[in-house]
Each structure stands twice: as C-alpha cells, then as structure tokens.
Amino acid sequence: MWWNVFASKACMFLRALGSVMVLIVLSLIGLTYYTTVVLVYGPLASNAEPESSEGRFATGVLVVYHVLILMVLWSYFACVLTEPGRVPDGWTPPPEDEEEAGAHKSNSEKLRRFCRKCTAWKPERCHHCSVCGRCVLKMDHHCVWVANCVGAYNYKFFLLFLVYTFCLLYTSDAADDTPCVDLGGRRII
C-alpha cells in the first residue's frame, strides 16, 4: 500500500533524528542555565549587599535552580537510557477458555494477540512501535525528544522529567516582574 512507503520513510527519519533531538534538548537546558545563572541571578547575587533581601532571594533561587537542574538532567537521562519494556523472548499467552474463544471480540479485547511485524505473541497493553521496530510493554508513545518509547519501565522518569522541567522554568522565571522591554514608559512583555 502506498501509505506504508511514506510511514516507513517517516519512521526511518525519526530514528535518525533521535540523537539530534537529544542534543537539542541538552542545548535548550544549557541555554536556560546560561540565561538564569550567568545573566540574571548570578550577577544579582554577587553584586548585591550581603544582607540585602535581593541578594538572599537571588542566592535562594540559585540553590533551588541548581537542585532542579540536576533533577531534570537525571530524569531526562534515565528516560533516554532506560529500556521502555520489551516482550520476553519466547513469551506465550495463557490458553484461552473455550467459552471466550467462541465469543466475538475485537482484537484489543482478546487475550491472545499476535504481532505480525515481530512474529511473536503480545501481552496485554503491549503495542508495536514502528519507529523502534519492536513491541513495547505498556507503550504510551514514541517520544522524539527522548529518542525512545515511553513504556512500562521509563514512564516514571518521563513524568518526572516533565514535572521537574515545569518547576525549573517556573523557578527561572520566579522574579520576572520587570518588563522585558521598556520603551519610554510603555511596558512590553
């Protein structure tokens, strides 16, 4: 079928793009680190009076920011490097009851499912990833940002990465009550 040709080309493109996307994510993290630590809060903490509230606030933000950046990097690399869940070799489903075998069920409701691409049996909540070219346990999606499937074993790390990234961005923007551009008294945000 003609659409399978385009789908397979897209999967090959996503597979090749994986390492580049990891570098893009690390570059974005590095950029936020540079702007937050080097450009904004570092000079604010070092140039302020030691006992001023502004200096203590900037130091507090820097401490929280560094803890969060370590947690973001840990959860990101854990998500990228952790195997999402592979069907064990030689796995076979339990035999079906005679009553259930006769009932008309959709393919997703059947206990015994077979993957034609892997030529192997699939457990419940297992799906074939066309980008990775294998069946993944409890597959959620293939994420190009982590160059991996999000599945049974790395789902926790993926969610932690999202939560820590949100907290990190909130922390880096903690005291941004000043306008980005001030044009003659007009605040442009």
Side-chain angles (χ1 to χ4, degrees):
M1 293 180 222
W2 63 271
W3 62 82
N4 282 342
V5 172
F6 296 116
S8 64
K9 297 287 185 194
C11 293
M12 287 176 16
F13 175 71
L14 288 176
R15 209 173 297 131
L17 189 67
S19 301
V20 174
M21 295 306 285
V22 170
L23 291 175
I24 289 173
V25 169
L26 292 176
S27 299
L28 288 173
I29 291 172
L31 181 66
T32 60
Y33 182 84
Y34 175 76
T35 57
T36 303
V37 175
V38 177
L39 296 181
V40 178
Y41 291 109
L44 191 62
S46 63
N47 295 337
E49 295 294 324
E51 294 301 318
S52 70
S53 63
E54 190 175 85
R56 284 185 295 196
F57 178 75
T59 304
V61 168
L62 284 173
V63 168
V64 170
Y65 186 83
H66 279 91
V67 169
L68 284 173
I69 199 98
L70 288 175
M71 297 305 288
V72 163
L73 289 172
W74 168 77
S75 59
Y76 182 72
F77 281 117
C79 186
V80 170
L81 299 174
T82 301
E83 172 74 25
R86 183 180 292 268
V87 178
D89 291 334
W91 184 87
T92 56
E96 282 188 321
D97 294 336
E98 293 176 12
E99 295 174 1
E100 290 184 14
H104 295 288
K105 294 182 178 181
S106 66
N107 286 340
S108 62
E109 294 174 342
K110 292 180 182 176
L111 292 178
R112 298 176 63 87
R113 297 185 312 147
F114 192 78
C115 179
R116 287 178 278 158
K117 294 176 183 169
C118 294
T119 62
W121 291 101
K122 295 195 302 185
E124 290 183 52
R125 296 182 63 195
C126 179
H127 301 285
H128 185 85
C129 177
S130 55
V131 177
C132 296
R134 62 186 166 149
C135 285
V136 178
L137 296 172
K138 294 184 182 178
M139 180 180 166
D140 187 45
H141 66 286
H142 184 90
C143 184
V144 294
W145 297 104
V146 297
N148 201 357
C149 282
V150 177
Y153 299 139
N154 65 351
Y155 191 77
K156 170 187 168 184
F157 302 123
F158 181 74
L159 286 180
L160 285 174
F161 171 67
L162 294 179
V163 168
Y164 291 142
T165 302
F166 174 76
C167 293
L168 185 75
L169 292 176
Y170 182 76
T171 303
S172 67
D173 196 38
D176 192 21
D177 57 354
T178 58
C180 293
V181 179
D182 188 7
L183 299 174
R186 287 182 27 210
R187 289 175 48 161
I188 298 175
I189 298 176

